[in-house]
Amino acid sequence: MALGPEIYDTPAAGPEKDRRLFVYNGGFLTQRRMRRILQLAGHSLHLGLPRAGDAVAVWGNSPTAHRGLSVAQKRGVPVVRVEDAMLRSLFPGRAGEPPLGLLIDHKGLHFDPRQPSDLETLLATHPLDDTALLDRARGCTARIQEAHLTKYTAFSVDTPPPDPGYVLVIDQTRGDASVTASGADRSRFLEMLVFAQQENPGARIVIKTHPETAKGYRPGHFGPQDENARITLLPDPISPWVLFEGAVRVYTVSSQMGFEAIFAGHKPRVFGQPFYAGWGLTEDEFPVQRRQRTLTRAQIFAAAMILYPTWYDPHRDRLCDLETTIEALAATARAWREDHRGWAASGMSLWKRGPLQQFFGSWSPMVFEDDPARARNNGKAWMVWATKAKIGHGDAVRVEDGFLRSRGLGADLIPPLSLVCDDLGIYYDPHQQSRLEKWIETRSRLRPDQSRRAERLIQTLRTTGLSKYNLGGTVTLDGLPEGPRILVPGQVEDDASIKAGTDRISTNLALLQATRDANPDAVILYKPHPDVEAGLRLGMVDATGLADRVLTQADPISLLADVDEVWTMTSLLGFEALVRGVHVVTLGAPFYAGWGLTDDRGDVPPRRRVDVSLEGLVHATLIDYPRYFDPRSGLACPVEVVMQRLAEADLPHPGLGNRLLAKLQGAFAGKAHLWRKG
């Protein structure tokens, strides 16, 4: 009996005839994600008895593995071992969260040294000398550390570590298959602890408790009875990358943390025989004699994390590369870290509350409370819509729409695909430093992998024509006089970015006048703001005598290919023009001014003194600063997913209630102050 293909709409992209795998473990029957990954990898799952050409799938060394091994031996068919990949999820599998990848091994088990696995074969025989592959390995290593990712990633990066200078001893769960395969038990762990003390006289010993032990799923090898004045247990969920920073040495039996310690600059002391031992990167108490090759950190990472696993993209339901999985997990981890305590939200319009619950309420429902005192003392984190922030909101996180927002206007009640959360200020207000400013400063220097990612984003934006609202529209520029063309984007004149980011030039009329005065011979094209065109916001202006043409119902992004410059107060179109290589003159202080990329004629804060590349600005603005939500999968996601959804118009249609409310809003557009309240 076949299992699995019928549970997903999308067919597998495997070979024409999938290899049949027969299973005798309940996990293959109950875990949809596991079945889907195997299907996409070219395997079909079956119950019954295998024939020649078939194989038996076994989950690691699970207690039920003997069933499949027995059938495989009797039927004379090979065994395929399946295990979770080394970037799995937020929580352990016992919590019910599906994996982001699998290890599908046709030779053995990566953690069992008794016979070579596919991974060991890669490590022993693959050239591992391709420059592009090793560059990818270095970039992925750095990204995993930067995002504080590991196998189980549900921890706060703000959890304080012990004071530096300690020896780190890593505990594992009793019955762990990698421990058993290494021939270890509690006595081996106690031996390791003795060595850690003897080899580091006087040093403090910190024993890191396994996450499953801390959550009560399985006991570990160490407990309170092993603590003393020198030895302490650390059960708190904490980033391993933070722990490695303060450690002087690392001791492990076979934990994945030992593998990670290598990339944090350690040479871990190993008392088992894990896959990463024996390649010159560890101190091995029980070496595997057949492992004689010396590898670099990039080489072992490339084999174990890029070439060996089968990675899954939960947003697009397909197999993917490691980089895609990293960004999917990073987005999920960021959402959990910011949201798991719950949010109290102030100043949120009624129509926004549903989308905000989707964004921020996955782990704990949001509470909407406009009274600052009650919101602050709610016991949850506190946010306020940035434009509604007043005296009393000083310690609340500011929330605003992101820069790749939607297909349609927020004023038309179209929910956002991106939001920004700023714990310092807000990006459009130059009077105080925002979190975006900090990110831009940070990205004044980029790693090669970061530059490549930003370059890909820039190219995608240029080829797809994506913008904040993606309204479309066409316009002809035929019949214009000769001369340099300047595009002047109108803005909503009571917009917060105008109030905060302009001085003497703060109206569309003043902007047009200043542009014309400075460029008497230019061809000036004026593009009114879409909200103003729709009659929903303030900013209508008579451009007669100042603009050579007023472009209504036009896609401003498509215009950028036909103009020489953009003159703006604080419009996001200035940033979008920079992305497309257009010269930009700013008359206010938008977030993208002051970094050496624009001609700034407004009052830009003097603290912006760092020159930033376009790639650095794009990385900070579109990758680091916003959060993104995928309405198809219902998950937090990286920017690339939202870009694809917008480019392909692969978005759910607004519900009937939304459409009716938007129509009612339009009918009362002249009384916008009424419907924008609440």
Side-chain angles (χ1 to χ4, degrees):
M1 183 179 77
L3 300 170
E6 75 282 355
I7 65 174
Y8 287 87
D9 296 329
T10 308
E16 289 186 14
K17 185 174 181 178
D18 293 340
R19 184 177 193 184
R20 301 200 313 168
L21 296 180
F22 284 76
V23 297
Y24 309 94
N25 179 292
F28 290 106
L29 308 180
T30 60
Q31 296 187 35
R32 292 165 53 113
R33 177 71 62 77
M34 183 203 307
R35 289 155 59 187
R36 180 55 172 168
I37 296 173
L38 288 168
Q39 181 197 9
L40 290 167
H43 302 289
S44 61
L45 300 188
H46 297 260
L47 298 177
L49 294 175
R51 301 192 298 265
D54 299 332
V56 170
V58 173
W59 184 260
N61 267 343
S62 68
T64 57
H66 65 91
R67 302 172 188 165
L69 296 175
S70 176
V71 172
Q73 185 178 25
K74 290 177 181 177
R75 305 290 292 188
V77 299
V79 174
V80 175
R81 303 277 191 165
V82 183
E83 266 279 353
D84 287 327
M86 285 170 270
L87 285 179
R88 189 194 185 282
S89 51
L90 286 176
F91 301 101
R94 286 174 171 79
E97 191 177 357
L100 286 169
L102 295 176
L103 307 177
I104 305 171
D105 202 304
H106 298 264
K107 290 184 178 179
L109 286 162
H110 75 283
F111 56 76
D112 192 338
R114 288 173 293 184
Q115 65 183 66
S117 63
D118 285 339
L119 175 55
E120 185 174 324
T121 302
L122 278 172
L123 292 167
T125 64
H126 194 288
L128 298 173
D129 59 356
D130 181 76
T131 300
L133 174 65
L134 298 180
D135 283 347
R136 286 181 61 199
R138 296 182 189 99
C140 288
T141 302
R143 178 61 176 139
I144 287 170
Q145 294 183 55
E146 177 187 58
H148 292 271
L149 306 181
T150 184
K151 189 171 186 176
Y152 310 126
T153 305
F155 47 76
S156 172
V157 297
D158 298 323
T159 301
D163 292 335
Y166 51 85
V167 173
L168 180 62
V169 175
I170 302 168
D171 196 9
Q172 295 173 252
T173 57
R174 294 185 195 177
D176 181 276
S178 75
V179 173
T180 303
S182 289
D185 53 16
R186 173 164 160 81
S187 63
R188 180 76 62 82
F189 279 80
L190 291 174
E191 179 187 10
M192 175 174 65
L193 184 60
V194 170
F195 270 80
Q197 296 173 80
Q198 291 178 345
E199 294 174 347
N200 303 276
R204 290 174 291 119
I205 310 294
V206 173
I207 299 174
K208 178 64 183 77
T209 303
H210 193 277
E212 291 192 6
T213 302
K215 288 186 173 295
Y217 294 134
R218 292 195 289 176
H221 293 88
F222 295 116
Q225 70 276 12
D226 300 304
E227 292 186 289
N228 56 38
R230 188 179 173 191
I231 301 171
T232 57
L233 290 177
L234 181 62
D236 301 336
I238 188 171
S239 169
W241 306 105
V242 172
L243 273 181
F244 295 143
E245 286 179 13
V248 294
R249 293 195 74 183
V250 176
Y251 287 70
T252 183
V253 171
S254 59
S255 170
Q256 181 179 313
M257 277 187 68
F259 177 60
E260 294 165 338
I262 293 171
F263 305 103
H266 291 279
K267 191 172 186 178
R269 191 85 156 85
V270 178
F271 286 74
Q273 295 178 319
F275 72 89
Y276 53 85
W279 311 106
L281 296 165
T282 54
E283 296 180 39
D284 303 322
E285 189 68 16
F286 303 95
V288 181
Q289 295 303 321
R290 65 177 179 270
R291 300 177 187 172
Q292 298 294 322
R293 189 181 185 187
T294 298
L295 299 173
T296 66
R297 292 187 177 99
Q299 286 175 319
I300 196 170
F301 185 96
M305 298 294 289
I306 297 177
L307 300 178
Y308 181 51
T310 300
W311 296 110
Y312 176 75
D313 180 348
H315 304 288
R316 303 173 181 93
D317 182 34
R318 67 189 187 194
L319 301 185
C320 63
D321 55 22
L322 172 60
E323 290 87 343
T324 300
T325 297
I326 287 173
E327 296 308 329
L329 183 57
T332 303
R334 177 181 177 182
W336 181 86
R337 289 164 185 169
E338 294 180 2
D339 301 345
H340 73 279
R341 294 189 298 134
W343 286 98
S346 303
M348 306 299 175
S349 300
L350 292 175
W351 78 270
K352 293 176 180 173
R353 296 184 180 187
L356 287 169
Q357 279 289 8
Q358 287 187 308
F359 244 95
F360 301 113
S362 296
W363 305 102
S364 179
M366 298 185 71
V367 173
F368 296 96
E369 176 56 70
D370 287 336
D371 181 79
R374 288 200 294 266
R376 184 182 293 107
N377 298 319
N378 191 273
K380 299 174 179 283
W382 183 27
M383 66 169 62
V384 62
W385 195 260
T387 57
K388 303 290 184 68
K390 301 179 178 67
I391 295 174
H393 292 119
D395 53 340
V397 172
R398 269 58 170 175
V399 179
E400 255 290 354
D401 288 329
F403 309 111
L404 290 169
R405 186 193 183 280
S406 52
R407 274 191 170 269
L409 300 171
D412 285 334
L413 312 189
I414 304 298
L417 302 180
S418 67
L419 292 166
V420 302
C421 300
D422 202 309
D423 60 329
L424 299 178
I426 192 64
Y427 70 89
Y428 56 73
D429 188 348
H431 294 102
Q432 64 184 91
Q433 191 173 53
S434 67
R435 180 57 60 182
L436 177 55
E437 266 193 40
K438 296 287 286 185
W439 275 119
I440 295 172
E441 290 177 357
T442 299
R443 300 311 184 199
S444 61
R445 298 182 66 181
L446 295 176
R447 301 189 307 267
D449 61 297
Q450 294 171 321
S451 288
R452 290 192 294 269
R453 188 181 181 193
E455 287 166 0
R456 289 193 296 270
L457 254 64
I458 292 169
Q459 188 57 42
T460 301
L461 289 169
R462 290 176 175 177
T463 55
T464 59
L466 291 177
S467 65
K468 184 173 183 176
Y469 297 114
N470 304 287
L471 299 172
T474 59
V475 68
T476 178
L477 297 181
D478 296 340
L480 289 172
E482 295 295 321
R485 295 179 178 180
I486 297 177
L487 177 62
V488 178
Q491 294 182 244
V492 176
E493 292 185 353
D494 62 350
D495 189 78
S497 74
I498 296 293
K499 294 179 178 179
T502 62
D503 40 55
R504 58 186 182 85
I505 297 175
S506 59
T507 66
N508 292 323
L509 184 62
L511 171 64
L512 278 166
Q513 188 66 63
T515 306
R516 174 56 73 194
D517 290 346
N519 304 276
D521 299 323
V523 178
I524 294 179
L525 309 173
Y526 179 64
K527 172 65 183 73
H529 191 279
D531 283 354
V532 176
E533 284 188 79
L536 302 174
R537 304 287 298 275
L538 300 176
M540 193 66 71
V541 65
D542 182 2
T544 305
L546 295 174
D548 293 275
R549 187 169 295 178
V550 177
L551 306 172
T552 59
Q553 305 300 318
D555 177 15
I557 301 302
S558 65
L559 298 172
L560 293 174
D562 296 310
V563 301
D564 301 291
E565 294 183 357
V566 168
W567 281 56
T568 181
M569 292 180 285
T570 61
S571 173
L572 183 63
L573 189 64
F575 170 72
E576 294 168 330
L578 286 176
V579 169
R580 292 157 178 87
V582 178
H583 183 72
V584 176
V585 178
T586 65
L587 300 178
F591 70 86
Y592 50 85
W595 308 107
L597 297 170
T598 51
D599 179 356
D600 301 320
R601 305 188 185 187
D603 188 14
V604 177
R607 63 178 178 269
R608 300 181 188 175
R609 295 177 178 175
V610 180
D611 284 344
V612 180
S613 67
L614 178 61
E615 291 78 14
L617 180 67
V618 167
H619 200 291
T621 305
L622 296 182
I623 296 174
D624 298 310
Y625 189 48
R627 281 178 52 176
Y628 296 93
F629 176 77
D630 176 18
R632 287 299 181 196
S633 65
L635 302 171
C637 68
V639 59
E640 289 85 356
V641 173
V642 161
M643 291 174 69
Q644 182 176 339
R645 300 288 190 237
L646 291 171
E648 298 175 357
D650 184 17
L651 299 167
H653 294 292
L656 178 61
N658 177 280
R659 294 197 299 271
L660 292 175
L661 186 58
K663 287 182 179 294
L664 183 65
Q665 168 189 302
F668 289 92
K671 301 187 182 294
H673 64 285
L674 297 176
W675 57 262
R676 288 179 64 84
K677 287 183 178 180

